[in-house]
Amino acid sequence: MARYRVLVVGMGKRGKHHATHFHANAGFEVVGVCDIDPARLAEAASALGNPRTGTDAAALAKELKPDVFCFCTLPHIRSEMIRIGVDCGASLIAFEKPVALTSREGLEVKALVESRPVKVVVSHQHRYGPHYQAVRETIAAGRIGKIHTVYGIAHGWAAHMLSHLIDYSMWFNDYSKARWVMAQAAGRRKLADVHASPDYVGGFVQFENGVRGVYECGGGAPDVPEVQRWWGKNRMGAVGSEGYAEVYTGNGWKAVTKDGILSGEGAMAYDQDMPGYIQDMADWLDGGKVHPCCFENAWAGFEVMMGAYRSAARGSQVALPIRDAADELDELRSALSSAPLQVTLEESRKEYGA
Ligand SMILES: NC(=O)c1ccc[n+]([C@@H]2O[C@H](COP(=O)([O-])OP(=O)(O)OC[C@H]3O[C@@H](n4cnc5c(N)ncnc54)[C@H](O)[C@@H]3O)[C@@H](O)[C@H]2O)c1
């Protein structure tokens, strides 16, 4: 029997994924769906057992008082939505990455979720893919020895991809805290996007356990020839004293270990990754293990991302944690030159206009 009533806000791509998989899980009942676009609501509701629908998230949340407030809107209204989730008394708030676009809004989100006891989950769900799991298990079992470096590469821009790269690589490193970040950025085109970002950002992170993080995200990143599809050309992994292990979002994984070479298949697919992600919410609500995509983990990655933006705009190493609010995107708008981005892949020209 369903134990938890869910309201899902935003019936676009990710909202529909979430609502579909809450509806498919016996622990949850979708009692409401919301979108400012009524046409999207009508289309979605019939596949979800015809829950209540509405275009005003605050009004619907107040009326339904859901156990789970889930929102999958675009990234510019995070604190507004979090406030609705906190105010309606939900036991769990589930929302999409990135945590926010700037530390100013991120710190507002953090203050709100810490204002009363509420479980919070951020959707870094790629980790449920078998290839991500295999890499994590290989590293955790000590097969690559003592790790000294973690890394992530993607060609999509930062507000889409950087928090994924950072989150999974920090998972490979047991979420050791980051001490500082130093980064550089180039390209202004995506600063005007709804997923506002520099076109290319690359940087280094020092983690408390001595491990170094190295990240490149955007149009200047190196190719990931293991993967064909542009959005799937992401490499995340770890190097240790006895080898390395890495996952390719769109095409499997590979490890060179002290016992030989290991590899396997796997490709990021929402229908594959969402059931476990949703089930872990039910388990956490039932009093079981903390969700692996809990806010604490997402926040740790968000600080690295904001630290990288600050470093690129200010020309310095940035110490973490972040305590003061800033608008890192405005800082980048002031600091970055208008020189066109030098893209690595021909396919990237259509996105970065270079
Ligand atoms: N985790 C992942 O793998 C993954 C993949 C893609 C996108 N995302 C993230 O998911 C989020 C949503 O992306 P998407 O691709 O689903 O976007 P989308 O544009 O398809 O959907 C957003 C929906 O929100 C609705 N909306 C906007 N403002 C609203 C409001 N105030 N109240 C109610 N509804 C509102 C829009 O009408 C739209 O239907 C983004 O933050 C994006 O970064 C995550």
Side-chain angles (χ1 to χ4, degrees):
M1 206 182 99
R3 302 182 293 287
Y4 304 111
R5 300 164 66 256
V6 189
L7 167 60
V8 184
V9 179
M11 280 293 106
K13 173 176 142 172
R14 289 297 292 150
K16 280 196 276 190
H17 293 159
H18 278 77
T20 301
H21 288 282
F22 277 122
H23 184 59
N25 186 306
F28 296 98
E29 180 191 1
V30 178
V31 293
V33 290
C34 171
D35 200 290
I36 48 174
D37 179 351
R40 291 199 167 186
L41 280 178
E43 182 207 318
S46 63
L48 299 166
N50 291 306
R52 284 274 289 118
T53 59
T55 54
D56 180 338
L60 207 52
K62 199 171 167 196
E63 177 196 326
L64 294 173
K65 299 203 180 337
D67 301 302
V68 177
F69 179 79
C70 169
F71 66 94
C72 303
T73 51
L74 291 170
H76 60 300
I77 49 172
R78 292 289 191 257
S79 54
E80 177 188 330
M81 286 291 151
I82 290 281
R83 189 180 295 280
I84 296 171
V86 168
D87 286 351
C88 77
S91 305
L92 187 146
I93 298 173
F95 72 108
E96 266 297 349
K97 46 58 55 181
V99 167
L101 292 172
T102 64
S103 65
R104 174 160 301 149
E105 178 141 41
L107 285 163
E108 272 179 48
V109 166
K110 187 167 188 285
L112 282 165
V113 301
E114 289 173 353
S115 66
R116 73 161 183 79
V118 57
K119 297 178 166 68
V120 180
V121 175
V122 181
S123 192
H124 290 118
Q125 84 291 349
H126 296 190
R127 71 166 69 207
Y128 288 84
H131 48 333
Y132 284 76
Q133 296 283 331
V135 168
R136 161 70 194 174
E137 279 158 24
T138 301
I139 296 166
R143 293 202 173 88
I144 63 167
K146 182 173 165 33
I147 71 167
H148 53 73
T149 306
V150 294
Y151 52 90
I153 288 167
H155 293 264
W157 49 111
H160 276 294
M161 293 311 303
L162 186 54
S163 78
H164 283 300
L165 301 181
I166 295 170
D167 187 66
Y168 310 132
S169 57
M170 286 184 75
W171 174 42
F172 297 158
N173 191 28
D174 295 327
Y175 286 101
S176 175
K177 289 198 166 48
R179 280 227 173 108
W180 57 256
V181 189
M182 188 177 77
Q184 179 59 283
R188 305 174 59 88
R189 186 175 169 124
K190 293 299 181 190
L191 286 169
D193 190 74
V194 67
H195 281 84
S197 318
D199 295 349
Y200 173 42
V201 55
F204 308 107
V205 181
Q206 185 64 34
F207 292 103
E208 216 165 72
N209 64 353
V211 169
R212 170 56 47 98
V214 183
Y215 301 97
E216 288 190 64
C217 188
D223 191 15
V224 180
E226 291 86 348
V227 187
Q228 288 293 311
R229 203 174 72 88
W230 190 85
W231 276 110
K233 281 183 173 289
N234 314 322
R235 181 193 306 279
M236 283 145 279
V239 188
S241 52
E242 311 269 359
Y244 75 88
E246 61 183 24
V247 60
Y248 318 108
T249 302
N251 189 21
W253 66 284
K254 184 174 177 182
V256 174
T257 76
K258 55 188 172 186
D259 307 317
I261 294 174
L262 311 171
S263 65
E265 294 183 350
M268 196 284 279
Y270 296 110
D271 283 347
Q272 159 197 275
D273 300 340
M274 288 303 286
Y277 174 69
I278 298 284
Q279 182 57 42
D280 280 346
M281 291 188 211
D283 293 347
W284 196 15
L285 282 164
D286 286 344
K289 72 172 169 37
V290 172
H291 200 291
C293 301
C294 62
F295 185 78
E296 191 184 346
N297 290 346
W299 180 261
F302 176 71
E303 285 190 316
V304 171
M305 186 165 156
M306 291 302 115
Y309 286 7
R310 283 182 186 202
S311 174
R314 299 176 190 178
S316 62
Q317 264 176 312
V318 171
L320 298 180
I322 282 179
R323 300 188 197 282
D324 59 313
D327 187 328
E328 287 80 4
L329 291 172
D330 265 357
E331 290 189 30
L332 286 168
R333 284 182 189 105
S334 302
L336 294 189
S337 104
S338 56
L341 189 71
Q342 308 287 312
V343 294
T344 311
L345 302 174
E346 276 305 308
E347 282 172 277
S348 295
R349 288 192 194 285
K350 69 179 187 312
E351 293 296 353
Y352 301 106

